[in-house]
Amino acid sequence: RITNGEWAPFTSDQLPDKGPLSRLIAEAFALEGITVEYGYFPWKRAYDYAKTAKWDGSIGWAPTPKHLQDFYMSKPVLMVDKGLFHLKNIPFDWQRIDDLRGWKVGGTAGYSYGDEWDQAVREGKLKVDEVSTDEQNIRKLLLRRVDVVAMEVDVARHLMRKLLSQEEAAMITQHPKLVMQTPICLALSRQSARSPELLTR
């Protein structure tokens, strides 16, 4: 029993096979004769249910020090790119975090964009206007309330196809330099005695 959440196009209760990330994990277990049951929850609850072994584990987490305290983590199931998006008619360029000073930067609350980025925010060297969803960031970009937004590349492309007209989507581009790449793993509870065996299988 694995907790899950809405994170299209990787995983969603609305996608065929619950999305490619869900399908990969379910098929890997199926090869071992194990049937996966997914439960969809808000991500914080999905994490807590898995951490406390109410459910066996949770899908789609990065192997951060905090997550490794709470979970046994699989090898990466996929890699996720995070990038910066801006309007094509804005001459935006960056190579280092310092280059982002002076730009109105948008981010999503609760997300990490890498150690260097997070430290710059904590130290006040980088000001990020945070909202609760990636959808809000795309709207703010189009309304010119921010100059640039940090977002997972595949999520941004999925949302632009879903939310925007072709004309609106054509106004936005991704800077070629990535902010970071994140490995995404299956997390199995350290509070469950059967997690090591499940992970091995």
Side-chain angles (χ1 to χ4, degrees):
R1 296 171 72 240
I2 297 174
T3 65
N4 210 326
E6 292 298 320
W7 188 38
F10 302 114
T11 175
S12 169
D13 204 19
Q14 313 303 313
L15 287 172
D17 300 320
K18 311 283 190 205
L21 178 58
S22 307
R23 181 180 169 180
L24 269 169
I25 289 169
E27 288 191 357
F29 275 120
L31 291 172
E32 286 291 313
I34 299 170
T35 302
V36 170
E37 175 195 338
Y38 287 119
Y40 277 80
F41 306 98
W43 283 111
K44 184 177 185 322
R45 200 181 314 158
Y47 188 97
D48 290 341
Y49 282 176
K51 176 185 169 184
T52 57
K54 282 184 181 141
W55 287 63
D56 294 300
S58 190
I59 200 171
W61 297 92
T64 64
K66 167 81 174 84
H67 296 165
L68 288 164
Q69 279 179 357
D70 296 334
F71 296 102
Y72 297 103
M73 306 293 277
S74 72
K75 290 178 183 168
V77 181
L78 54 87
M79 295 294 289
V80 175
D81 295 337
K82 291 185 181 178
L84 294 176
F85 292 81
H86 62 94
L87 296 178
K88 284 180 182 169
N89 62 4
I90 291 180
F92 170 75
D93 192 21
W94 82 294
Q95 293 302 318
R96 305 185 332 271
I97 297 291
D98 277 355
D99 297 337
L100 299 175
R101 286 186 193 197
W103 294 99
K104 284 188 280 185
V105 179
T108 303
Y111 287 18
S112 170
Y113 300 99
D115 295 341
E116 192 184 353
W117 176 292
D118 296 345
Q119 186 177 340
V121 170
R122 278 195 305 275
E123 292 173 357
K125 293 176 181 172
L126 175 62
K127 289 193 172 27
V128 179
D129 184 8
E130 291 191 337
V131 292
S132 55
T133 68
D134 288 326
E135 289 93 330
Q136 290 169 298
N137 267 327
I138 288 173
R139 299 274 184 222
K140 285 178 72 173
L141 189 60
L142 277 177
L143 293 168
R144 301 173 194 277
R145 292 189 184 149
V146 288
D147 299 315
V148 59
V149 295
M151 210 175 293
E152 284 151 352
V153 173
D154 291 314
V155 171
R157 289 180 182 153
H158 173 80
L159 289 174
M160 287 194 289
R161 281 194 302 273
K162 186 174 142 191
L163 300 174
L164 306 183
S165 68
Q166 283 187 322
E167 291 76 17
E168 288 172 325
M171 295 165 66
I172 299 172
T173 189
Q174 178 198 345
H175 191 279
K177 180 177 169 57
L178 290 176
V179 175
M180 68 180 298
Q181 282 192 306
T182 307
I184 299 297
C185 308
L186 171 67
L188 294 171
S189 177
R190 286 193 179 271
Q191 294 183 30
S192 169
R194 67 194 209 127
S195 289
E197 188 226 344
L198 282 174
L199 192 59
T200 301
R201 290 179 72 180

